[in-house]
Amino acid sequence: MVYTPWCTVLGMSIGQTFLGLLESSPRHGYDLKRAYDERFGRTRPLPYGQVYATLSRLLKSGLVEVDSVEPGEGPERKRYAITEAGVTDVDRWLSQAEKPEPYLQSVLYTKVVLALLTDRPAADLLDTQTAEHLRLMRELTRRKDGGDLAEQLICDHALFHLEADLRWLELTAARLDELAREVRSHG
Amino acid sequence: MAELLVADGLNKAFGPTPALDGASISIDAGEIVAVMGPSGSGKSTLLHCLAGIVRPDSGQVRYEGREVTAMPDRERSALRRRQFGFVFQFGQLVPELTCLENVALPLRMERVRRRAAEQRAMEWLERLEVTDVAGKRPGEVSGGQGQRVAVARALVTNPRVIFADEPTGALDSLNGERVMRLLTQSARESHAAVVLVTHEARVASYSDREVVVRDGRVRDLTGARRG
Amino acid sequence: MAIAGGRDGWTRALLAAIAMGIGVPALLTAAAVPAALDPRQNRVDPRRPASLGDIPAAANTLLIGQQFEAAFRDQTVYAVLVRPEGPDAPLPPGVARLPQPGEVVVSPALRDLLASKDADLFAPRLGGARVIGTIGPAGLTGPRELAYYLGSDQLQPGQAERVTAIGSTNTVEFSPVLALLIVVISVVLLLPIAVLIGTAVRFGGERRDRRLAALRLVGADQRMTRRVAAGEALGTALLSLVAGVLFFLLGRQVVPLFTLWDISLYARDLRPNPLLAGTVALAVPVLAVTVTMVSMRGVVIEPLGVTRRAGTTRRRLWWRLILPVLGLAVLYPLFGDIRSSTVDNRYQIAAGAILLLFGAVALLPWVIDLVVRRIRGGAVPWQLAIRRLQQDSATSARMVNGVAVAVAGTIGLQMLFAGVEGDFRTDTGADPSRADVMVQSSGVDGRELPVRLRAVPGVTAVSSILGTTAANADQPHRFTFVFVADCAALAEALVLERCTDGDVFVSKPGSGTHGESYVAAPGDRLLLGTDKQLAWTVPAGTREVPSRRDPGGFNRDMGLFVTPGAVDVSRFGPLEAWMSLRTDPGDRDALERVRNAAATVDQRALVYRLSRTDEANRFVNVRRGLYIGAVVTLLLVGASLLVGLMEHLRERRRLLAILVAMGTRRGTLLWSVVWQTVVPVVLGLVLAVGFGLALGAVLLRLVTVPITVNWAVVGLSVALAAAVMALVTLLSLPPLWRLTRPDGLRTE
């Protein structure tokens, strides 16, 4: 199995995360960074550069728009708001299962928090992901059945990792209400 | 495929706490369905209701179109004896009987003669790779061997449905895998459906389909998927 | 007696308390038995008049006469007539003031009777005397005793004792045979209770083992677990002992409410000897700890569970035979007639009987093993039961040990009883088919009594013979009996071919006794009447006829028998009267009315029911005690068996639930439980019959009575035990039903 490096996974989802954060209310770039760091980037704050790069990419694809510009200079004066297309994108992203892969938790966590923030059904999201994980596990189990020992061991390795993810999904599902209260109280 | 076993809107409460709260599920012939969920979610109760061991407070269970929930106790017992097989987590083998006699027990209860019953039991012990423990008592065999004997006993009557409640719950991974492989293999070969209650994903991955019981309801994960 | 799963801890505690509560006082009583049986024992009976022989009436004398055969229904009445002859007459114990004629002092129980609706059946005997007080406990054997002291002016010195004091020594003699009986009874009744205590101690063993395993998990070693187990057993035993003592104390308060075999007891009478009580208090915990240690011998307690050393150990026969052989060896020297033995052999007998009976306990597991090992095949319930027995015959054996010992003991004892019955039974010669009640009056003129008795409701026939003595006018020192009765009544006492009014008969004793006695012959002149002034010549037509026993068993083989037409009876003085009555068998109070009627004519009339044999009271009491004891013991053993069975079922709760889930018919499970109980019970009973017969044979050898087996008694004992077992099995079914509910599947 080939594993996707961590940063790429992360990078792929910053855009959707911003969209999700913007969906609750329009924000300045600086606000966005702060909200993101607070919720998802505790150990690794987002560099400013990446914030504006991402925002401009989203602007270009029409997922966000500039809501208002305050008098003065510099990009931080712009306030961004999500567009219709942006909302649809968030929708699609949240309802789609991630490809079950190791170190997926951060993405999944982000998705759950955003779903809660935007009043989308987070439990469904978890179920969908669980189903996808299980589907892959079934596949691996079946492959294992026919394979030689090396194949079996490789499959087992993947199975154990997937199982760990599933445990996390289960635990999160069980604590969803608690998490929702916490997320909402942060505003 | 034909619906073999269908449960519709099952409610069951033990005291004030509801174990099942409108649970519905449908199982096709020969299908292996894993019932997952956290402990206390009502998965075992669902299994007990489906197998006609427990009568739900309300709701229906139908097996081949017959309403199990309406059958008298004697009839349900006969159904379980003839059409169903059971594997539990532990403690299901009669400690005084040898493993062979344990496997032959369901046949003997159906008045099969001892010799014939034990011959068939021996065949099943072979299929489950535990012929070496045939003459031993359950107390003298390992957990994995014991569970394989239990699987042999569940299958010996050629049942249409196997109910397995955490069949590997007391086993380590390797033995658990072996039991699951043999259980699903044998079930598929004899076209028996399996209702597999487990909280372990790796065990569930031997199934064709998973459902999750949460708060007394069955959630079909695939059905819940959007888009 | 429903025993639910959750309640069975309680039931166990309760049963242990009952076992101890009965066991402890029973052990105390038993320990006191040998002392109480000291063959020659002098006891002071406070009610017994201190007889002084012939003394003249004085200010401090009292005429006192006990009314024999006094009874009310089945209960003996201690009826005493007193006639104080001066102001300083002694007071009987418990009596504050002597009753004068027309006064009576009664026991509280009699006072209650006189206040009840049955008063009319008793009151006439007191002749309308006024109750002036009650008898205190000092003058009664128990609170339920019926007793009275009636003031009388009829009492004559010849009919009573003249005393100056009341309370004298009474020598109680126990025959060696009765002593043997009581020793054996104590053994037979107490052994099952000892076995029961042993069983009760083992209750909860499996759960305890699991708990100890948990202790091992936190670091306790094997020796520590043993110490903990011993401590627990000790604690439980002490608690049960306390419970037992409480139970005993409570029970003691209830005792005065009951009357058994004419004996009622005051609570204070049940006072165990302190030394023996101490011994028992020590012995019970020691037994408990010992049994626990022995039961843990076969168990290895590991941190993660309990391993039982498999039941594959071959049961060896030889040491199991040591006990019974030793028992025989102990008893063998006593073979011969212990009746003539002067040596104190009570302890030897007890030891021998105990060893012999414990032989049954020792052999039972071996026998069960031997039989069950060979059994193969059979239907599913049978297979389940047999396999269970093969796996663990010790537990099943333990469950029926008590029954086996009880039955073996009972059979042995009954054989002994049947063998020595003759020692205690005398043939009264009475023939209850001819009459069922006898009335005898000698204090007053008996002529009126038959008339009165005929009028008593429930009396269907009265046959009476009046009698007196007469002196030969020519030889005044020679006396003969003269009986007066009609032909029908005479036919009860004589073998008559023909009889008409006016006939006179004479009966003579057979040769041998003839020489000394005087029998009137025709022509003899006899002096009759109050002052022997009526001279009467025995008529020439007097026929000699053989005599026969009257219904009461008397044989009047010496005397003149006169029909009323031959002599003017009215000129006779006071006559004694013997009356045989027939009463309506459906009227249970007829006898009481007869007693009343007789008492109104003659306070001292003897009234008693006829029976073919007369058994010594003590013997009868002992035997009744045995019956009751045997039943109580069996019930206790049954209760312990039930708890054992419950425990077994509870242990298998999960398995039972799973088997039911698999679709096992409940009947299958039920029958497996039944077989599992029945097989050891049957084997236990077979063994018990064997040992019982052996014990009986040995005991009969002790009293040199030919050995005969009373199969009816064997059958009864076995049937009784089987009935108790059936009851136990029946009572275990509802819990079995409950335990097989699917709830058992839910992990606890």
Side-chain angles (χ1 to χ4, degrees):
Chain A
M1 299 220 91
V2 182
Y3 299 126
T4 323
W6 148 261
C7 49
T8 315
V9 175
L10 196 64
M12 274 182 72
S13 64
I14 293 178
Q16 274 90 5
T17 312
F18 276 11
L19 287 175
L21 286 171
L22 286 174
E23 195 177 330
S24 43
S25 68
R27 293 170 196 263
H28 289 96
Y30 174 75
D31 278 347
L32 265 177
K33 174 191 150 50
R34 219 184 47 200
Y36 184 96
D37 285 351
E38 210 169 87
R39 291 184 200 282
F40 313 111
R42 265 170 216 182
T43 52
R44 198 203 263 252
L46 211 54
Y48 262 115
Q50 198 169 357
V51 174
Y52 291 108
T54 307
L55 278 173
S56 60
R57 188 163 56 78
L58 294 175
L59 258 178
K60 227 182 326 180
S61 18
L63 300 176
V64 298
E65 59 192 10
V66 177
D67 178 53
S68 63
V69 184
E70 276 162 38
E73 306 237 338
E76 68 276 12
R77 303 272 173 85
K78 283 183 188 148
R79 211 164 73 140
Y80 298 91
I82 194 163
T83 61
E84 200 74 13
V87 172
T88 316
D89 192 65
V90 173
D91 254 3
R92 204 190 59 238
W93 182 62
L94 285 184
S95 59
Q96 222 165 39
E98 294 293 320
K99 187 151 179 273
E101 273 165 1
Y103 310 119
L104 195 58
Q105 286 93 321
S106 332
V107 187
L108 290 176
Y109 173 70
T110 308
K111 286 174 91 168
V112 170
V113 170
L114 285 179
L116 290 172
L117 272 177
T118 55
D119 283 329
R120 287 187 173 81
D124 284 358
L125 182 159
L126 289 171
D127 278 356
T128 311
Q129 192 60 49
T130 302
E132 183 59 21
H133 267 69
L134 286 171
R135 192 191 55 72
L136 185 59
M137 282 181 81
R138 256 200 319 270
E139 218 167 81
L140 287 168
T141 301
R142 217 157 285 159
R143 221 161 88 193
K144 205 171 81 174
D145 226 12
D148 56 11
L149 185 59
E151 175 105 22
Q152 277 180 25
L153 287 174
I154 289 167
C155 290
D156 272 338
H157 185 258
L159 279 168
F160 278 111
H161 279 289
L162 289 168
E163 192 180 20
D165 278 357
L166 273 172
R167 291 225 181 109
W168 181 87
L169 286 167
E170 192 182 304
L171 192 76
T172 309
R175 304 179 67 178
L176 213 49
D177 289 347
E178 208 182 322
L179 184 65
R181 269 198 306 280
E182 209 163 280
V183 163
R184 281 179 195 132
S185 73
H186 274 286
Chain B
M1 259 193 282
E3 285 186 336
L4 185 65
L5 188 59
V6 183
D8 198 10
L10 297 182
N11 287 296
K12 178 75 190 176
F14 296 104
T17 43
L20 291 180
D21 186 13
S24 302
I25 190 172
S26 151
I27 288 141
D28 293 343
E31 182 187 29
I32 300 180
V33 180
V35 178
M36 302 187 64
S39 49
S41 59
K43 352 181 248 303
S44 289
T45 308
L46 177 65
L47 180 138
H48 296 161
C49 287
L50 281 173
I53 299 170
V54 167
R55 212 191 275 270
D57 298 335
S58 66
Q60 268 192 354
V61 175
R62 282 187 308 277
Y63 172 75
E64 288 187 320
R66 284 188 296 158
E67 204 182 318
V68 177
T69 28
M71 290 181 190
D73 188 60
R74 170 184 289 273
E75 218 173 304
R76 281 186 288 141
S77 281
L79 184 73
R80 294 201 296 270
R81 219 160 45 233
R82 290 170 194 148
Q83 309 278 328
F84 299 165
F86 293 89
V87 184
F88 294 96
Q89 188 173 350
F90 63 92
Q92 55 206 310
L93 299 177
V94 182
E96 294 90 19
L97 299 184
T98 62
C99 289
L100 182 67
E101 286 168 335
N102 260 295
V103 176
L105 191 63
L107 293 172
R108 307 241 15 236
M109 289 195 293
E110 281 302 291
R111 315 236 193 285
V112 176
R113 299 196 66 86
R114 206 168 91 129
R115 190 169 290 264
E118 288 185 358
Q119 202 174 335
R120 261 166 77 188
M122 199 64 198
E123 287 164 22
W124 275 102
L125 286 178
E126 259 163 52
R127 291 177 71 168
L128 285 146
E129 304 163 10
V130 273
T131 39
D132 46 332
V133 302
K136 291 188 181 167
R137 301 198 195 277
E140 302 162 347
V141 307
S142 75
Q145 289 169 329
Q147 283 307 90
R148 278 182 277 150
V149 172
V151 171
R153 185 172 73 179
L155 285 156
V156 76
T157 51
N158 289 321
R160 308 269 334 259
V161 189
I162 306 279
F163 293 93
D165 192 350
E166 302 281 9
T168 62
L171 302 181
D172 61 74
S173 313
L174 201 60
N175 273 302
E177 304 258 334
R178 193 163 175 202
V179 166
M180 280 318 299
R181 185 170 52 78
L182 290 166
L183 169 63
T184 46
Q185 229 171 48
S186 311
R188 280 187 217 285
E189 278 161 22
S190 32
H191 307 290
V194 179
V195 177
L196 171 67
V197 165
T198 179
H199 69 282
E200 280 182 278
R202 260 175 321 111
V203 174
S205 69
Y206 282 88
S207 68
D208 301 328
R209 170 164 77 93
E210 291 93 358
V211 296
V212 172
V213 179
R214 206 173 287 150
D215 303 327
R217 288 165 172 277
V218 180
R219 298 170 69 103
D220 198 333
L221 291 175
T222 43
R225 189 185 296 179
R226 286 199 226 147
Chain C
M1 225 177 156
I3 293 172
R7 264 178 287 163
D8 87 345
W10 264 107
T11 317
R12 211 163 39 229
L14 188 70
L15 195 80
I18 291 175
M20 301 276 178
I22 290 179
V24 170
L27 288 172
L28 293 178
T29 320
V33 163
L37 287 180
D38 208 342
R40 265 173 222 291
Q41 196 192 16
N42 293 329
R43 284 189 228 178
V44 174
D45 180 350
R47 302 201 292 201
R48 194 177 153 91
S51 176
L52 295 169
D54 273 349
I55 52 166
N60 64 346
T61 56
L62 172 74
L63 279 176
I64 180 164
Q66 190 186 344
Q67 184 67 9
F68 299 108
E69 303 282 353
F72 181 71
R73 290 187 176 144
D74 295 329
Q75 200 181 346
T76 300
V77 178
Y78 183 69
V80 178
L81 301 184
V82 289
R83 181 173 178 185
E85 292 177 306
D88 300 326
L91 286 170
V95 175
R97 185 163 80 76
L98 278 170
Q100 297 301 317
E103 293 178 338
V104 68
V105 182
V106 299
S107 69
L110 181 54
R111 185 193 52 204
D112 295 346
L113 171 64
L114 291 173
S116 74
K117 60 179 170 35
D118 289 332
D120 288 346
L121 290 174
F122 195 94
R125 291 174 218 185
L126 301 177
R130 194 165 55 86
V131 175
I132 57 158
T134 55
I135 306 170
L140 297 172
T141 59
R144 309 296 304 162
E145 186 183 28
L146 294 175
Y148 64 81
Y149 289 95
L150 177 63
S152 164
D153 49 9
Q154 288 180 13
L155 207 57
Q156 298 300 320
Q159 306 167 329
E161 283 191 84
R162 178 173 283 149
V163 295
T164 54
I166 293 173
S168 76
T169 339
N170 186 10
T171 302
V172 180
E173 286 214 18
F174 270 103
S175 77
V177 174
L178 192 60
L180 166 71
L181 277 176
I182 295 184
V183 166
V184 175
I185 285 175
S186 315
V187 169
V188 162
L189 291 187
L190 290 178
L191 218 49
I193 289 176
V195 171
L196 179 67
I197 292 181
T199 314
V201 168
R202 282 171 184 259
F203 286 153
E206 309 237 354
R207 212 170 305 176
R208 179 204 56 213
D209 291 348
R210 272 195 300 262
R211 213 170 42 238
L212 291 179
L215 277 182
R216 290 272 283 140
L217 197 57
V218 295
D221 59 20
Q222 284 277 355
R223 198 182 308 165
M224 258 157 99
T225 56
R226 249 151 243 261
R227 265 209 305 278
V228 169
E232 279 187 7
L234 191 67
T236 314
L238 289 179
L239 273 179
S240 305
L241 199 62
V242 170
V245 170
L246 284 176
F247 193 74
F248 172 64
L249 291 178
L250 276 176
R252 204 162 71 149
Q253 298 309 312
V254 187
V255 163
L257 304 178
F258 296 100
T259 306
L260 273 185
W261 334 313
D262 284 346
I263 297 171
S264 62
L265 292 172
Y266 287 107
R268 66 174 152 80
D269 293 335
L270 290 175
R271 197 168 27 199
N273 173 328
L275 185 71
L276 295 172
T279 312
V280 170
L282 208 65
V284 165
V286 167
L287 178 72
V289 171
T290 311
V291 168
T292 306
M293 290 297 101
V294 170
S295 75
M296 283 182 69
R297 217 184 34 185
V299 176
V300 186
I301 294 173
E302 303 284 359
L304 286 175
V306 181
T307 328
R308 242 153 269 281
R309 295 197 180 118
T312 46
T313 44
R314 281 293 276 217
R315 297 187 186 284
R316 287 195 190 81
L317 181 60
W318 64 267
W319 72 263
R320 291 168 196 275
L321 286 174
I322 287 181
L323 287 176
V325 168
L326 210 61
L328 284 177
V330 168
L331 291 175
Y332 184 73
L334 298 176
F335 278 20
D337 203 340
I338 63 155
R339 272 182 268 224
S340 53
S341 148
T342 50
V343 191
D344 181 3
N345 47 28
R346 286 165 277 146
Y347 296 98
Q348 202 177 343
I349 294 170
I354 289 175
L355 285 170
L356 204 56
L357 286 177
F358 263 133
V361 173
L363 268 177
L364 189 53
W366 182 80
V367 169
I368 292 181
D369 238 21
L370 184 78
V371 173
V372 162
R373 204 163 354 119
R374 274 136 220 267
I375 300 178
R376 297 241 167 276
V380 175
W382 176 256
Q383 187 189 27
L384 286 172
I386 291 301
R387 283 277 191 268
R388 164 85 192 160
L389 292 175
Q390 285 172 344
Q391 188 89 331
D392 184 9
S393 56
T395 306
S396 331
R398 226 172 5 251
M399 274 164 71
V400 293
N401 268 341
V403 184
V405 170
V407 169
T410 311
I411 290 175
L413 247 185
Q414 296 287 4
M415 276 175 72
L416 179 61
F417 264 99
V420 299
E421 215 163 20
D423 284 23
F424 298 93
R425 176 182 287 172
T426 45
D427 205 335
T428 58
D431 183 357
S433 66
R434 283 156 69 193
D436 56 349
V437 175
M438 276 302 279
V439 181
Q440 248 177 287
S441 163
S442 54
V444 295
D445 183 39
R447 261 172 283 213
E448 194 194 344
L449 204 44
V451 184
R452 288 280 192 93
L453 291 181
R454 273 189 194 98
V456 172
V459 172
T460 54
V462 178
S463 153
S464 79
I465 294 182
L466 305 175
T468 184
T469 52
N472 185 310
D474 305 317
Q475 296 166 281
H477 61 281
R478 309 202 79 172
F479 285 87
T480 187
F481 293 105
V482 177
F483 301 104
V484 181
D486 58 24
C487 282
L490 282 184
E492 294 284 354
L494 299 171
V495 182
L496 295 178
E497 277 162 14
R498 58 198 158 81
C499 171
T500 47
D501 200 17
D503 284 355
V504 179
F505 305 93
V506 65
S507 89
K508 290 181 183 172
S511 54
T513 52
H514 194 259
E516 321 251 320
S517 315
Y518 163 65
V519 180
D524 285 4
R525 279 193 324 125
L526 299 177
L527 296 176
L528 293 159
T530 325
D531 300 313
K532 308 287 185 231
Q533 279 157 358
L534 171 71
W536 179 67
T537 307
V538 180
T542 299
R543 277 178 280 151
E544 187 182 329
V545 290
S547 62
R548 63 183 282 218
R549 284 174 187 274
D550 77 357
F554 296 109
N555 192 357
R556 297 177 183 81
D557 62 354
M558 220 168 54
L560 279 174
F561 295 81
V562 183
T563 49
V567 65
D568 184 3
V569 178
S570 63
R571 294 176 59 198
F572 283 29
L575 294 171
E576 291 182 40
W578 291 267
M579 286 144 287
S580 45
L581 275 58
R582 242 192 279 252
T583 57
D584 176 0
D587 186 351
R588 58 192 283 262
D589 289 329
L591 180 60
E592 302 311 317
R593 286 193 289 268
V594 169
R595 286 194 175 113
N596 289 343
T600 44
V601 176
D602 176 8
Q603 279 182 343
R604 309 229 51 200
L606 275 184
V607 180
Y608 54 95
R609 192 175 282 286
L610 289 180
S611 70
R612 217 170 275 283
T613 54
D614 180 24
E615 285 176 284
N617 253 345
R618 223 173 253 136
F619 178 74
V620 174
N621 287 351
V622 162
R623 191 163 57 179
R624 278 195 218 159
L626 169 68
Y627 282 132
I628 293 171
V631 170
V632 168
T633 307
L634 271 179
L635 284 176
L636 267 177
V637 168
S640 95
L641 183 57
L642 185 61
V643 173
L645 202 57
M646 284 304 88
E647 197 164 59
H648 167 70
L649 288 178
R650 256 185 65 80
E651 252 167 49
R652 325 197 99 201
R653 192 196 174 102
R654 187 178 157 82
L655 180 65
L656 289 171
I658 285 177
L659 286 173
V660 169
M662 277 169 58
T664 311
R665 290 177 193 90
R666 276 182 167 163
T668 305
L669 296 177
L670 192 146
W671 276 109
S672 85
V673 169
V674 168
W675 287 127
Q676 202 181 308
T677 321
V678 162
V679 171
V681 164
V682 166
L683 291 175
L685 287 179
V686 168
L687 199 65
V689 168
F691 268 81
L693 292 177
L695 178 67
V698 168
L699 292 176
L700 287 178
R701 294 289 301 161
L702 295 185
V703 292
T704 43
V705 169
I707 295 162
T708 47
V709 180
N710 183 346
W711 289 109
V713 163
V714 173
L716 184 72
S717 311
V718 169
L720 207 60
V724 170
M725 296 303 109
L727 183 71
V728 164
T729 311
L730 208 67
L731 285 174
S732 72
L733 296 186
L736 174 65
W737 223 244
R738 254 198 315 278
L739 285 174
T740 50
R741 281 194 307 214
D743 312 22
L745 286 176
R746 298 164 73 198
T747 31
E748 283 157 21

